[in-house]
Amino acid sequence: MTTLTDRPRTALLVIDVQVGVVAGTPRRDDVIANINTLVGKARSEDVPVIWVQHSDDGGLAQGSEGWQYVPELSRRDDEPVVHKKYGDSFEATDLEALLAERGVGRLIVTGAQSDACIRSTLHGGFVRGYDVTLVSDAHTTEDLSEYGAPAPEQVIAHTNLYWQFHRAPGRTAGTVETGKVDFAA
């Protein structure tokens, strides 16, 4: 139950599934296939699909090849794109306004990177009053172990583990597999 009581709808967020973000990530093809399944289901149930696209001054310069969404996913013209420069998809973007316009109080989160933009957006939505569900088999992350991070599979598993038990007054969080996503719940 969201604290945004006047917003009964659910939205699917597809975060940063860009060529330069998911190249070489574990289970890349499976994650993208799961996101495609969810996009199709959302569209068939008239659930808003909101695409989030990161840019920076490095390999994700706006308009560059790495910045583009992966070719396996296609956005419809009536589905908004949120352009961001920070990990949290809410930070300095119009995401909140887009969700408010659509009466959304519950978020289903997919995409990349598990330990950066996914994690930041999970928390960003939760502290803003949203119910936030992470699709456990529809997010991935790059290998940053050379910098001291755990292996990507461990990062993904840990993100799923801790988000599954996240709670706060008036809001729910949790994880669910692609096949068990219920946009009406």
Side-chain angles (χ1 to χ4, degrees):
M1 100 190 115
T2 175
T3 61
L4 306 169
T5 56
D6 60 336
R7 298 191 196 177
R9 296 189 73 200
T10 300
L12 174 65
L13 297 184
V14 182
I15 301 172
D16 302 350
V17 189
Q18 298 162 251
V19 171
V21 176
V22 299
T25 59
R27 301 177 9 260
R28 177 204 181 274
D29 293 344
D30 292 338
V31 167
I32 291 170
N34 289 339
I35 293 170
N36 254 329
T37 296
L38 292 167
V39 168
K41 181 177 180 177
R43 288 172 178 163
S44 73
E45 296 180 21
D46 197 31
V47 169
V49 178
I50 299 178
W51 302 79
V52 179
Q53 194 169 24
H54 191 83
S55 64
D56 60 32
D57 295 332
L60 293 177
Q62 198 163 20
S64 69
E65 182 181 335
W67 174 81
Q68 303 297 326
Y69 252 80
V70 297
E72 299 95 325
L73 295 176
S74 62
R75 182 184 68 83
R76 290 192 327 205
D77 289 341
D78 64 338
E79 296 169 342
V81 177
V82 173
H83 295 282
K84 70 178 182 66
K85 293 187 176 283
Y86 303 99
D88 181 352
S89 299
F90 288 91
E91 193 66 42
T93 71
D94 61 349
L95 179 57
E96 171 59 26
L98 290 169
L99 295 170
E101 286 171 9
R102 289 158 177 77
V104 171
R106 180 172 175 251
L107 305 175
I108 305 295
V109 176
T110 67
Q113 307 257 9
S114 304
D115 49 347
C117 299
I118 294 297
R119 187 174 183 168
S120 296
T121 301
L122 291 171
H123 288 281
F126 201 68
V127 300
R128 287 172 173 84
Y130 292 87
D131 289 341
V132 184
T133 300
L134 174 62
V135 185
S136 62
D137 56 357
H139 69 99
T140 190
T141 196
E142 69 183 318
D143 186 351
L144 296 174
S145 57
E146 70 180 277
Y147 302 104
E153 294 83 358
Q154 291 175 316
V155 171
I156 294 164
H158 181 255
T159 304
N160 288 336
L161 175 68
Y162 89 79
W163 198 253
Q164 165 183 334
F165 297 107
H166 207 77
R167 300 288 179 267
R171 289 156 282 164
T172 61
T175 60
V176 65
E177 294 176 348
T178 296
K180 295 182 180 177
V181 169
D182 181 0
F183 290 114

